[in-house]
């Protein structure tokens, strides 16, 4: 699940910059398509692009229930289709607990998951990892023992955090999670599953001794409006949320690492991966993952969540800029 703020860059500049760098079960939004083989133009000696996905079975990829996951799903879909794979994308399946059930019941073959979520919520390990690499290895070992495997992790991580309106944070001297204990009582808005997660309110109580939070259940995505209108004092946010760029909120530091490390890995059923070509398939996924820096992901989140662009179009622009389509 889910720091210090990083500077956003403009989306149009991002696409040009990255192109240069590379060159030198809820309400499902289902789609299915397969790329056609490129034909040689002009010269009969021109080699057709490699299409390792041709003749392979379709792969069903799911996503969780928020903007960043929708974008990730579209990125994987577009990159795979460019290599001849047939992709069925099921968006907005739900939280970790729900989408993991979809994976283990074979309603989907794969989905992007955050390593800390894999360890704490799926594997139910309560002790926080000390490094990002340890978090990844723990997640990988768990999935390998259960019949799945994972891609390489992304450079970016999207970590859960607690934020407060800047004025509220300044009034009460809030800079870290430890400071919340100074409050007599305060309200905390978050999605329902946050209340009982170790990388959530349960972990905050255990690790920091925060016992006076009044939990307010909120649908994902409305927590910023709730802070703006004074309905809640603090909220659970993700550190790559586009709204944090406004400067209106203070993100509290997490020195004890209760929220873990949250790089993204693509989790996939082992048997399905073998049918899809194993290393060839995973190489496509890793080619996307290695480009997903914090600036890149935050900018795509902003393009969709704030600028109201279509996530498929945003993903396509990113893939084209990085010559993955």
């Amino acid at each position: 699940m889910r720091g210090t703020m990083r500077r956003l860059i403009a989306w149009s500049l991002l696409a040009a910059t990255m192109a240069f760098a590379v060159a030198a079960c809820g309400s499902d939004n289902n789609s299915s398509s397969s790329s056609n083989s490129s034909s040689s133009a002009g010269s009969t000696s021109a080699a057709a692009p490699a299409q390792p996905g041709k003749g392979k079975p379709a792969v069903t990829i799911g996503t969780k229930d928020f903007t960043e996951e929708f974008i990730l799903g579209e990125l994987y879909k577009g990159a795979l289709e460019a290599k001849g794979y047939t992709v069925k994308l099921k968006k907005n399946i739900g939280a970790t607990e729900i989408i993991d059930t979809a994976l283990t019941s074979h309603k989907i073959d794969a989905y992007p998951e955050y390593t800390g979520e894999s360890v704490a919520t799926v594997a139910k390990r309560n002790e926080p990892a000390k490094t990002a690499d340890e978090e990844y290895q723990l997640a990988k070992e768990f999935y390998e023992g259960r019949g799945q495997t994972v891609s390489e992790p992304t450079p970016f991580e999207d970590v859960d955090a607690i934020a407060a309106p800047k004025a509220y944070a300044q009034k009460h001297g809030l800079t870290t999670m430890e400071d919340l204990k100074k409050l007599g009582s305060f309200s905390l808005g978050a999605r329902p599953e946050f209340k009982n997660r170790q990388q959530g309110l349960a972990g905050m109580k255990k690790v920091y001794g925060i016992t006076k939070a009044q939990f307010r259940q909120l649908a994902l995505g409305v927590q910023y409006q709730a802070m703006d209108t004074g309905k809640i004092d603090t909220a659970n946010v993700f550190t790559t949320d586009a709204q944090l760029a406004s400067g209106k909120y203070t993100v509290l530091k997490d020195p004890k690492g209760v929220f873990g490390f949250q790089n993204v890995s693509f989790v996939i059923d082992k048997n399905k991966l073998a049918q899809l070509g194993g290393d060839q398939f995973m190489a496509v996924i890793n080619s996307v993952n290695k480009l997903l820096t914090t600036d890149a992901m935050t900018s795509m989140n902003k393009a969709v969540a704030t600028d109201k662009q279509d996530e498929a179009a945003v993903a396509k622009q990113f893939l084209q800029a990085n010559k993955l389509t």
Side-chain angles (χ1 to χ4, degrees), residues 75-87:
L75 288 169
Y76 295 134
K77 179 177 181 286
L80 288 167
E81 289 178 344
K83 294 296 185 180
Y85 288 97
T86 299
V87 179

Side-chain angles (χ1 to χ4, degrees), residues 88-203:
K88 297 177 181 178
L89 182 59
K90 292 188 175 183
K91 298 182 187 178
N92 202 21
I93 290 176
T96 297
E97 295 88 341
I98 297 171
I99 199 167
D100 181 65
T101 299
L103 177 68
T104 56
S105 63
H106 302 290
K107 292 180 181 177
I108 60 173
D109 301 312
Y111 80 100
E113 184 57 279
Y114 301 82
T115 52
E117 276 296 289
S118 296
V119 173
T121 304
V122 183
K124 302 187 186 306
R125 184 180 187 272
N126 293 335
E127 295 301 319
K130 295 180 177 61
T131 66
D133 183 64
E134 180 187 0
E135 195 92 83
Y136 171 72
Q137 293 300 329
L138 287 169
K140 184 177 181 179
E141 289 170 12
F142 170 78
Y143 286 121
E144 291 285 347
R146 204 181 65 165
Q148 293 103 32
T149 191
V150 296
S151 69
E152 295 174 2
T154 59
F156 93 94
E157 61 173 336
D158 186 2
V159 188
D160 280 278
I162 302 300
K166 183 169 286 187
Y168 183 87
Q170 290 175 340
K171 178 180 178 180
H172 296 283
L174 304 179
T175 58
T176 76
M177 299 277 282
E178 293 275 12
D179 295 329
L180 291 171
K181 290 189 293 184
K182 297 187 298 187
L183 302 178
S185 179
F186 67 98
S187 55
L188 170 62
R191 59 203 188 280
E193 61 271 15
F194 186 81
K195 183 176 182 179
N196 297 313
R197 285 183 174 177
Q198 288 304 308
Q199 290 185 337
L201 185 56

